[in-house]
PDB file of all heavy atoms in Angstrom:
ATOM      1  N   ILE A   1      -4.917   1.149  12.830  1.00 93.00           N
ATOM      2  CA  ILE A   1      -5.980   1.885  12.147  1.00 93.00           C
ATOM      3  C   ILE A   1      -6.518   2.900  13.139  1.00 93.00           C
ATOM      4  O   ILE A   1      -6.914   2.542  14.255  1.00 93.00           O
ATOM      5  CB  ILE A   1      -7.119   0.969  11.674  1.00 93.00           C
ATOM      6  CG1 ILE A   1      -6.599  -0.080  10.685  1.00 93.00           C
ATOM      7  CG2 ILE A   1      -8.243   1.795  11.038  1.00 93.00           C
ATOM      8  CD1 ILE A   1      -7.651  -1.107  10.286  1.00 93.00           C
ATOM      9  N   ALA A   2      -6.502   4.165  12.767  1.00 90.00           N
ATOM     10  CA  ALA A   2      -7.033   5.226  13.619  1.00 90.00           C
ATOM     11  C   ALA A   2      -7.972   6.076  12.772  1.00 90.00           C
ATOM     12  O   ALA A   2      -7.526   6.814  11.894  1.00 90.00           O
ATOM     13  CB  ALA A   2      -5.914   6.083  14.199  1.00 90.00           C
ATOM     14  N   ASN A   3      -9.274   5.938  13.043  1.00 85.00           N
ATOM     15  CA  ASN A   3     -10.286   6.639  12.255  1.00 85.00           C
ATOM     16  C   ASN A   3     -10.149   6.258  10.783  1.00 85.00           C
ATOM     17  O   ASN A   3     -10.285   5.099  10.441  1.00 85.00           O
ATOM     18  CB  ASN A   3     -10.183   8.143  12.488  1.00 85.00           C
ATOM     19  CG  ASN A   3     -10.413   8.507  13.943  1.00 85.00           C
ATOM     20  OD1 ASN A   3     -11.266   7.925  14.605  1.00 85.00           O
ATOM     21  ND2 ASN A   3      -9.651   9.459  14.460  1.00 85.00           N
ATOM     22  N   ASP A   4      -9.840   7.230   9.899  1.00 87.00           N
ATOM     23  CA  ASP A   4      -9.735   6.915   8.482  1.00 87.00           C
ATOM     24  C   ASP A   4      -8.279   6.876   8.012  1.00 87.00           C
ATOM     25  O   ASP A   4      -7.994   7.062   6.827  1.00 87.00           O
ATOM     26  CB  ASP A   4     -10.543   7.910   7.641  1.00 87.00           C
ATOM     27  CG  ASP A   4     -10.234   9.352   7.996  1.00 87.00           C
ATOM     28  OD1 ASP A   4      -9.306   9.590   8.800  1.00 87.00           O
ATOM     29  OD2 ASP A   4     -10.929  10.251   7.483  1.00 87.00           O
ATOM     30  N   VAL A   5      -7.347   6.628   8.937  1.00 93.00           N
ATOM     31  CA  VAL A   5      -5.922   6.534   8.602  1.00 93.00           C
ATOM     32  C   VAL A   5      -5.403   5.155   8.991  1.00 93.00           C
ATOM     33  O   VAL A   5      -5.646   4.675  10.106  1.00 93.00           O
ATOM     34  CB  VAL A   5      -5.098   7.615   9.327  1.00 93.00           C
ATOM     35  CG1 VAL A   5      -3.613   7.466   9.010  1.00 93.00           C
ATOM     36  CG2 VAL A   5      -5.583   9.002   8.931  1.00 93.00           C
ATOM     37  N   LEU A   6      -4.703   4.512   8.059  1.00 96.00           N
ATOM     38  CA  LEU A   6      -4.150   3.175   8.280  1.00 96.00           C
ATOM     39  C   LEU A   6      -2.651   3.207   8.091  1.00 96.00           C
ATOM     40  O   LEU A   6      -2.151   3.786   7.123  1.00 96.00           O
ATOM     41  CB  LEU A   6      -4.795   2.187   7.311  1.00 96.00           C
ATOM     42  CG  LEU A   6      -4.334   0.721   7.365  1.00 96.00           C
ATOM     43  CD1 LEU A   6      -5.496  -0.206   6.986  1.00 96.00           C
ATOM     44  CD2 LEU A   6      -3.152   0.462   6.432  1.00 96.00           C
ATOM     45  N   LEU A   7      -1.913   2.586   9.013  1.00 97.00           N
ATOM     46  CA  LEU A   7      -0.461   2.449   8.907  1.00 97.00           C
ATOM     47  C   LEU A   7      -0.128   0.989   8.652  1.00 97.00           C
ATOM     48  O   LEU A   7      -0.605   0.109   9.372  1.00 97.00           O
ATOM     49  CB  LEU A   7       0.225   2.929  10.193  1.00 97.00           C
ATOM     50  CG  LEU A   7       1.748   2.702  10.269  1.00 97.00           C
ATOM     51  CD1 LEU A   7       2.477   3.529   9.220  1.00 97.00           C
ATOM     52  CD2 LEU A   7       2.257   3.034  11.668  1.00 97.00           C
ATOM     53  N   ALA A   8       0.678   0.741   7.626  1.00 97.00           N
ATOM     54  CA  ALA A   8       1.072  -0.619   7.266  1.00 97.00           C
ATOM     55  C   ALA A   8       2.584  -0.720   7.192  1.00 97.00           C
ATOM     56  O   ALA A   8       3.287   0.282   7.016  1.00 97.00           O
ATOM     57  CB  ALA A   8       0.461  -1.014   5.923  1.00 97.00           C
ATOM     58  N   ALA A   9       3.092  -1.953   7.324  1.00 98.00           N
ATOM     59  CA  ALA A   9       4.533  -2.187   7.286  1.00 98.00           C
ATOM     60  C   ALA A   9       4.865  -3.349   6.365  1.00 98.00           C
ATOM     61  O   ALA A   9       4.111  -4.321   6.271  1.00 98.00           O
ATOM     62  CB  ALA A   9       5.061  -2.466   8.692  1.00 98.00           C
ATOM     63  N   PHE A  10       6.019  -3.231   5.723  1.00 98.00           N
ATOM     64  CA  PHE A  10       6.595  -4.293   4.902  1.00 98.00           C
ATOM     65  C   PHE A  10       7.970  -4.549   5.495  1.00 98.00           C
ATOM     66  O   PHE A  10       8.843  -3.686   5.448  1.00 98.00           O
ATOM     67  CB  PHE A  10       6.695  -3.855   3.441  1.00 98.00           C
ATOM     68  CG  PHE A  10       5.373  -3.471   2.839  1.00 98.00           C
ATOM     69  CD1 PHE A  10       4.813  -2.228   3.111  1.00 98.00           C
ATOM     70  CD2 PHE A  10       4.683  -4.349   2.023  1.00 98.00           C
ATOM     71  CE1 PHE A  10       3.583  -1.863   2.577  1.00 98.00           C
ATOM     72  CE2 PHE A  10       3.448  -3.995   1.480  1.00 98.00           C
ATOM     73  CZ  PHE A  10       2.901  -2.754   1.764  1.00 98.00           C
ATOM     74  N   ARG A  11       8.183  -5.732   6.059  1.00 96.00           N
ATOM     75  CA  ARG A  11       9.405  -5.972   6.819  1.00 96.00           C
ATOM     76  C   ARG A  11       9.946  -7.384   6.633  1.00 96.00           C
ATOM     77  O   ARG A  11      10.691  -7.885   7.464  1.00 96.00           O
ATOM     78  CB  ARG A  11       9.158  -5.694   8.309  1.00 96.00           C
ATOM     79  CG  ARG A  11       7.994  -6.469   8.923  1.00 96.00           C
ATOM     80  CD  ARG A  11       7.701  -6.022  10.341  1.00 96.00           C
ATOM     81  NE  ARG A  11       6.614  -6.809  10.933  1.00 96.00           N
ATOM     82  CZ  ARG A  11       6.690  -7.413  12.113  1.00 96.00           C
ATOM     83  NH1 ARG A  11       7.796  -7.333  12.836  1.00 96.00           N
ATOM     84  NH2 ARG A  11       5.667  -8.089  12.591  1.00 96.00           N
ATOM     85  N   GLY A  12       9.600  -8.026   5.534  1.00 91.00           N
ATOM     86  CA  GLY A  12       9.990  -9.414   5.333  1.00 91.00           C
ATOM     87  C   GLY A  12      11.179  -9.616   4.418  1.00 91.00           C
ATOM     88  O   GLY A  12      11.362 -10.724   3.895  1.00 91.00           O
ATOM     89  N   GLY A  13      11.987  -8.585   4.191  1.00 94.00           N
ATOM     90  CA  GLY A  13      13.128  -8.755   3.305  1.00 94.00           C
ATOM     91  C   GLY A  13      14.117  -7.630   3.481  1.00 94.00           C
ATOM     92  O   GLY A  13      14.055  -6.875   4.456  1.00 94.00           O
ATOM     93  N   ASP A  14      15.032  -7.497   2.504  1.00 96.00           N
ATOM     94  CA  ASP A  14      16.000  -6.410   2.585  1.00 96.00           C
ATOM     95  C   ASP A  14      15.358  -5.109   2.120  1.00 96.00           C
ATOM     96  O   ASP A  14      14.203  -5.081   1.683  1.00 96.00           O
ATOM     97  CB  ASP A  14      17.259  -6.734   1.782  1.00 96.00           C
ATOM     98  CG  ASP A  14      16.990  -6.986   0.306  1.00 96.00           C
ATOM     99  OD1 ASP A  14      15.910  -6.604  -0.190  1.00 96.00           O
ATOM    100  OD2 ASP A  14      17.861  -7.566  -0.365  1.00 96.00           O
ATOM    101  N   ALA A  15      16.103  -4.011   2.229  1.00 96.00           N
ATOM    102  CA  ALA A  15      15.537  -2.691   1.941  1.00 96.00           C
ATOM    103  C   ALA A  15      14.956  -2.587   0.536  1.00 96.00           C
ATOM    104  O   ALA A  15      13.822  -2.119   0.371  1.00 96.00           O
ATOM    105  CB  ALA A  15      16.585  -1.602   2.188  1.00 96.00           C
ATOM    106  N   PRO A  16      15.676  -2.989  -0.531  1.00 96.00           N
ATOM    107  CA  PRO A  16      15.080  -2.892  -1.874  1.00 96.00           C
ATOM    108  C   PRO A  16      13.796  -3.708  -2.015  1.00 96.00           C
ATOM    109  O   PRO A  16      12.847  -3.277  -2.673  1.00 96.00           O
ATOM    110  CB  PRO A  16      16.195  -3.423  -2.785  1.00 96.00           C
ATOM    111  CG  PRO A  16      17.456  -3.181  -2.033  1.00 96.00           C
ATOM    112  CD  PRO A  16      17.085  -3.421  -0.597  1.00 96.00           C
ATOM    113  N   GLN A  17      13.767  -4.886  -1.389  1.00 96.00           N
ATOM    114  CA  GLN A  17      12.595  -5.746  -1.518  1.00 96.00           C
ATOM    115  C   GLN A  17      11.374  -5.139  -0.844  1.00 96.00           C
ATOM    116  O   GLN A  17      10.292  -5.056  -1.444  1.00 96.00           O
ATOM    117  CB  GLN A  17      12.884  -7.121  -0.917  1.00 96.00           C
ATOM    118  CG  GLN A  17      11.702  -8.087  -0.998  1.00 96.00           C
ATOM    119  CD  GLN A  17      12.012  -9.437  -0.384  1.00 96.00           C
ATOM    120  OE1 GLN A  17      13.154  -9.735  -0.054  1.00 96.00           O
ATOM    121  NE2 GLN A  17      10.997 -10.258  -0.216  1.00 96.00           N
ATOM    122  N   VAL A  18      11.538  -4.711   0.413  1.00 97.00           N
ATOM    123  CA  VAL A  18      10.366  -4.190   1.126  1.00 97.00           C
ATOM    124  C   VAL A  18       9.922  -2.851   0.552  1.00 97.00           C
ATOM    125  O   VAL A  18       8.714  -2.545   0.531  1.00 97.00           O
ATOM    126  CB  VAL A  18      10.632  -4.079   2.644  1.00 97.00           C
ATOM    127  CG1 VAL A  18      10.882  -5.451   3.242  1.00 97.00           C
ATOM    128  CG2 VAL A  18      11.791  -3.134   2.961  1.00 97.00           C
ATOM    129  N   ALA A  19      10.880  -2.037   0.066  1.00 97.00           N
ATOM    130  CA  ALA A  19      10.495  -0.768  -0.552  1.00 97.00           C
ATOM    131  C   ALA A  19       9.687  -1.002  -1.815  1.00 97.00           C
ATOM    132  O   ALA A  19       8.682  -0.324  -2.063  1.00 97.00           O
ATOM    133  CB  ALA A  19      11.744   0.060  -0.857  1.00 97.00           C
ATOM    134  N   ALA A  20      10.110  -1.972  -2.631  1.00 97.00           N
ATOM    135  CA  ALA A  20       9.375  -2.285  -3.863  1.00 97.00           C
ATOM    136  C   ALA A  20       7.983  -2.818  -3.549  1.00 97.00           C
ATOM    137  O   ALA A  20       7.009  -2.494  -4.238  1.00 97.00           O
ATOM    138  CB  ALA A  20      10.162  -3.297  -4.702  1.00 97.00           C
ATOM    139  N   GLN A  21       7.879  -3.632  -2.509  1.00 97.00           N
ATOM    140  CA  GLN A  21       6.566  -4.144  -2.110  1.00 97.00           C
ATOM    141  C   GLN A  21       5.638  -3.006  -1.707  1.00 97.00           C
ATOM    142  O   GLN A  21       4.454  -2.990  -2.087  1.00 97.00           O
ATOM    143  CB  GLN A  21       6.724  -5.136  -0.953  1.00 97.00           C
ATOM    144  CG  GLN A  21       7.368  -6.452  -1.334  1.00 97.00           C
ATOM    145  CD  GLN A  21       7.691  -7.305  -0.127  1.00 97.00           C
ATOM    146  OE1 GLN A  21       7.891  -6.801   0.979  1.00 97.00           O
ATOM    147  NE2 GLN A  21       7.753  -8.616  -0.322  1.00 97.00           N
ATOM    148  N   ALA A  22       6.161  -2.051  -0.952  1.00 98.00           N
ATOM    149  CA  ALA A  22       5.344  -0.926  -0.518  1.00 98.00           C
ATOM    150  C   ALA A  22       4.890  -0.082  -1.701  1.00 98.00           C
ATOM    151  O   ALA A  22       3.738   0.366  -1.754  1.00 98.00           O
ATOM    152  CB  ALA A  22       6.121  -0.072   0.489  1.00 98.00           C
ATOM    153  N   VAL A  23       5.790   0.139  -2.657  1.00 97.00           N
ATOM    154  CA  VAL A  23       5.436   0.938  -3.841  1.00 97.00           C
ATOM    155  C   VAL A  23       4.351   0.240  -4.641  1.00 97.00           C
ATOM    156  O   VAL A  23       3.363   0.866  -5.065  1.00 97.00           O
ATOM    157  CB  VAL A  23       6.671   1.196  -4.715  1.00 97.00           C
ATOM    158  CG1 VAL A  23       6.252   1.808  -6.051  1.00 97.00           C
ATOM    159  CG2 VAL A  23       7.648   2.120  -3.999  1.00 97.00           C
ATOM    160  N   ARG A  24       4.515  -1.065  -4.861  1.00 97.00           N
ATOM    161  CA  ARG A  24       3.499  -1.790  -5.634  1.00 97.00           C
ATOM    162  C   ARG A  24       2.149  -1.777  -4.923  1.00 97.00           C
ATOM    163  O   ARG A  24       1.096  -1.657  -5.570  1.00 97.00           O
ATOM    164  CB  ARG A  24       3.962  -3.232  -5.893  1.00 97.00           C
ATOM    165  CG  ARG A  24       5.080  -3.344  -6.917  1.00 97.00           C
ATOM    166  CD  ARG A  24       5.261  -4.780  -7.375  1.00 97.00           C
ATOM    167  NE  ARG A  24       5.696  -5.644  -6.289  1.00 97.00           N
ATOM    168  CZ  ARG A  24       6.962  -5.953  -6.028  1.00 97.00           C
ATOM    169  NH1 ARG A  24       7.934  -5.438  -6.778  1.00 97.00           N
ATOM    170  NH2 ARG A  24       7.276  -6.755  -5.030  1.00 97.00           N
ATOM    171  N   ALA A  25       2.157  -1.890  -3.606  1.00 98.00           N
ATOM    172  CA  ALA A  25       0.901  -1.832  -2.854  1.00 98.00           C
ATOM    173  C   ALA A  25       0.254  -0.458  -3.010  1.00 98.00           C
ATOM    174  O   ALA A  25      -0.966  -0.347  -3.205  1.00 98.00           O
ATOM    175  CB  ALA A  25       1.147  -2.150  -1.384  1.00 98.00           C
ATOM    176  N   ALA A  26       1.057   0.599  -2.931  1.00 97.00           N
ATOM    177  CA  ALA A  26       0.523   1.955  -3.091  1.00 97.00           C
ATOM    178  C   ALA A  26      -0.049   2.153  -4.489  1.00 97.00           C
ATOM    179  O   ALA A  26      -1.101   2.785  -4.656  1.00 97.00           O
ATOM    180  CB  ALA A  26       1.617   2.982  -2.812  1.00 97.00           C
ATOM    181  N   GLN A  27       0.639   1.626  -5.502  1.00 96.00           N
ATOM    182  CA  GLN A  27       0.134   1.735  -6.869  1.00 96.00           C
ATOM    183  C   GLN A  27      -1.209   1.031  -7.005  1.00 96.00           C
ATOM    184  O   GLN A  27      -2.126   1.540  -7.662  1.00 96.00           O
ATOM    185  CB  GLN A  27       1.146   1.139  -7.845  1.00 96.00           C
ATOM    186  CG  GLN A  27       2.419   1.951  -7.996  1.00 96.00           C
ATOM    187  CD  GLN A  27       3.459   1.247  -8.846  1.00 96.00           C
ATOM    188  OE1 GLN A  27       3.660   0.031  -8.728  1.00 96.00           O
ATOM    189  NE2 GLN A  27       4.131   1.993  -9.706  1.00 96.00           N
ATOM    190  N   ARG A  28      -1.318  -0.123  -6.391  1.00 97.00           N
ATOM    191  CA  ARG A  28      -2.572  -0.874  -6.474  1.00 97.00           C
ATOM    192  C   ARG A  28      -3.697  -0.140  -5.749  1.00 97.00           C
ATOM    193  O   ARG A  28      -4.819  -0.047  -6.250  1.00 97.00           O
ATOM    194  CB  ARG A  28      -2.376  -2.268  -5.879  1.00 97.00           C
ATOM    195  CG  ARG A  28      -3.632  -3.108  -5.862  1.00 97.00           C
ATOM    196  CD  ARG A  28      -3.333  -4.550  -5.521  1.00 97.00           C
ATOM    197  NE  ARG A  28      -4.556  -5.324  -5.358  1.00 97.00           N
ATOM    198  CZ  ARG A  28      -4.595  -6.633  -5.176  1.00 97.00           C
ATOM    199  NH1 ARG A  28      -3.473  -7.330  -5.144  1.00 97.00           N
ATOM    200  NH2 ARG A  28      -5.745  -7.257  -5.027  1.00 97.00           N
ATOM    201  N   ILE A  29      -3.402   0.384  -4.561  1.00 97.00           N
ATOM    202  CA  ILE A  29      -4.424   1.133  -3.817  1.00 97.00           C
ATOM    203  C   ILE A  29      -4.860   2.359  -4.606  1.00 97.00           C
ATOM    204  O   ILE A  29      -6.051   2.674  -4.690  1.00 97.00           O
ATOM    205  CB  ILE A  29      -3.879   1.539  -2.434  1.00 97.00           C
ATOM    206  CG1 ILE A  29      -3.661   0.299  -1.568  1.00 97.00           C
ATOM    207  CG2 ILE A  29      -4.838   2.509  -1.742  1.00 97.00           C
ATOM    208  CD1 ILE A  29      -2.889   0.569  -0.291  1.00 97.00           C
ATOM    209  N   GLN A  30      -3.894   3.063  -5.205  1.00 95.00           N
ATOM    210  CA  GLN A  30      -4.215   4.259  -5.981  1.00 95.00           C
ATOM    211  C   GLN A  30      -5.137   3.926  -7.150  1.00 95.00           C
ATOM    212  O   GLN A  30      -6.130   4.622  -7.390  1.00 95.00           O
ATOM    213  CB  GLN A  30      -2.938   4.914  -6.487  1.00 95.00           C
ATOM    214  CG  GLN A  30      -3.181   6.254  -7.197  1.00 95.00           C
ATOM    215  CD  GLN A  30      -1.902   6.848  -7.745  1.00 95.00           C
ATOM    216  OE1 GLN A  30      -1.130   6.165  -8.421  1.00 95.00           O
ATOM    217  NE2 GLN A  30      -1.655   8.116  -7.448  1.00 95.00           N
ATOM    218  N   SER A  31      -4.821   2.854  -7.877  1.00 94.00           N
ATOM    219  CA  SER A  31      -5.612   2.524  -9.068  1.00 94.00           C
ATOM    220  C   SER A  31      -6.969   1.929  -8.712  1.00 94.00           C
ATOM    221  O   SER A  31      -7.975   2.229  -9.369  1.00 94.00           O
ATOM    222  CB  SER A  31      -4.830   1.563  -9.966  1.00 94.00           C
ATOM    223  OG  SER A  31      -4.616   0.315  -9.311  1.00 94.00           O
ATOM    224  N   GLU A  32      -7.032   1.102  -7.676  1.00 95.00           N
ATOM    225  CA  GLU A  32      -8.279   0.410  -7.361  1.00 95.00           C
ATOM    226  C   GLU A  32      -9.231   1.254  -6.509  1.00 95.00           C
ATOM    227  O   GLU A  32     -10.441   1.014  -6.523  1.00 95.00           O
ATOM    228  CB  GLU A  32      -7.977  -0.918  -6.657  1.00 95.00           C
ATOM    229  CG  GLU A  32      -7.248  -1.911  -7.555  1.00 95.00           C
ATOM    230  CD  GLU A  32      -7.056  -3.261  -6.895  1.00 95.00           C
ATOM    231  OE1 GLU A  32      -7.467  -3.424  -5.730  1.00 95.00           O
ATOM    232  OE2 GLU A  32      -6.488  -4.153  -7.545  1.00 95.00           O
ATOM    233  N   SER A  33      -8.691   2.223  -5.771  1.00 94.00           N
ATOM    234  CA  SER A  33      -9.574   3.059  -4.962  1.00 94.00           C
ATOM    235  C   SER A  33     -10.287   4.112  -5.800  1.00 94.00           C
ATOM    236  O   SER A  33     -11.360   4.595  -5.417  1.00 94.00           O
ATOM    237  CB  SER A  33      -8.791   3.735  -3.838  1.00 94.00           C
ATOM    238  OG  SER A  33      -7.815   4.617  -4.349  1.00 94.00           O
ATOM    239  N   ALA A  34      -9.717   4.456  -6.951  1.00 92.00           N
ATOM    240  CA  ALA A  34     -10.337   5.485  -7.799  1.00 92.00           C
ATOM    241  C   ALA A  34     -11.726   5.087  -8.282  1.00 92.00           C
ATOM    242  O   ALA A  34     -12.675   5.871  -8.146  1.00 92.00           O
ATOM    243  CB  ALA A  34      -9.424   5.817  -8.971  1.00 92.00           C
ATOM    244  N   PRO A  35     -11.918   3.886  -8.858  1.00 94.00           N
ATOM    245  CA  PRO A  35     -13.282   3.521  -9.267  1.00 94.00           C
ATOM    246  C   PRO A  35     -14.234   3.360  -8.099  1.00 94.00           C
ATOM    247  O   PRO A  35     -15.434   3.641  -8.228  1.00 94.00           O
ATOM    248  CB  PRO A  35     -13.081   2.197 -10.029  1.00 94.00           C
ATOM    249  CG  PRO A  35     -11.745   1.691  -9.608  1.00 94.00           C
ATOM    250  CD  PRO A  35     -10.928   2.888  -9.305  1.00 94.00           C
ATOM    251  N   LEU A  36     -13.724   2.918  -6.955  1.00 93.00           N
ATOM    252  CA  LEU A  36     -14.580   2.818  -5.778  1.00 93.00           C
ATOM    253  C   LEU A  36     -15.050   4.198  -5.349  1.00 93.00           C
ATOM    254  O   LEU A  36     -16.237   4.415  -5.061  1.00 93.00           O
ATOM    255  CB  LEU A  36     -13.813   2.143  -4.632  1.00 93.00           C
ATOM    256  CG  LEU A  36     -14.553   2.004  -3.307  1.00 93.00           C
ATOM    257  CD1 LEU A  36     -15.786   1.120  -3.464  1.00 93.00           C
ATOM    258  CD2 LEU A  36     -13.624   1.443  -2.233  1.00 93.00           C
ATOM    259  N   ALA A  37     -14.132   5.171  -5.341  1.00 91.00           N
ATOM    260  CA  ALA A  37     -14.494   6.538  -4.973  1.00 91.00           C
ATOM    261  C   ALA A  37     -15.478   7.139  -5.968  1.00 91.00           C
ATOM    262  O   ALA A  37     -16.398   7.871  -5.581  1.00 91.00           O
ATOM    263  CB  ALA A  37     -13.235   7.402  -4.893  1.00 91.00           C
ATOM    264  N   GLU A  38     -15.314   6.815  -7.240  1.00 92.00           N
ATOM    265  CA  GLU A  38     -16.234   7.335  -8.255  1.00 92.00           C
ATOM    266  C   GLU A  38     -17.633   6.753  -8.058  1.00 92.00           C
ATOM    267  O   GLU A  38     -18.642   7.462  -8.222  1.00 92.00           O
ATOM    268  CB  GLU A  38     -15.717   7.006  -9.651  1.00 92.00           C
ATOM    269  CG  GLU A  38     -16.637   7.420 -10.796  1.00 92.00           C
ATOM    270  CD  GLU A  38     -16.934   8.912 -10.841  1.00 92.00           C
ATOM    271  OE1 GLU A  38     -16.169   9.704 -10.238  1.00 92.00           O
ATOM    272  OE2 GLU A  38     -17.930   9.295 -11.485  1.00 92.00           O
TER     273      GLU A  38
END
């Protein structure tokens, strides 16, 4: 975490698995951060 930027990793499986996990996390952050920002 550096100031207002956070770097995260998904590394517990094969490429399709970790990529899907990252996408789902991004989708959740996108949807849940919007009402907080509002």
Side-chain angles (χ1 to χ4, degrees):
I1 300 174
N3 299 321
D4 50 7
V5 178
L6 179 149
L7 174 65
F10 302 78
R11 55 187 182 129
D14 59 17
Q17 179 180 350
V18 297
Q21 290 171 334
V23 170
R24 287 194 296 265
Q27 290 173 319
R28 178 169 174 174
I29 293 169
Q30 186 183 49
S31 64
E32 294 185 359
S33 63
L36 178 63
E38 176 59 19

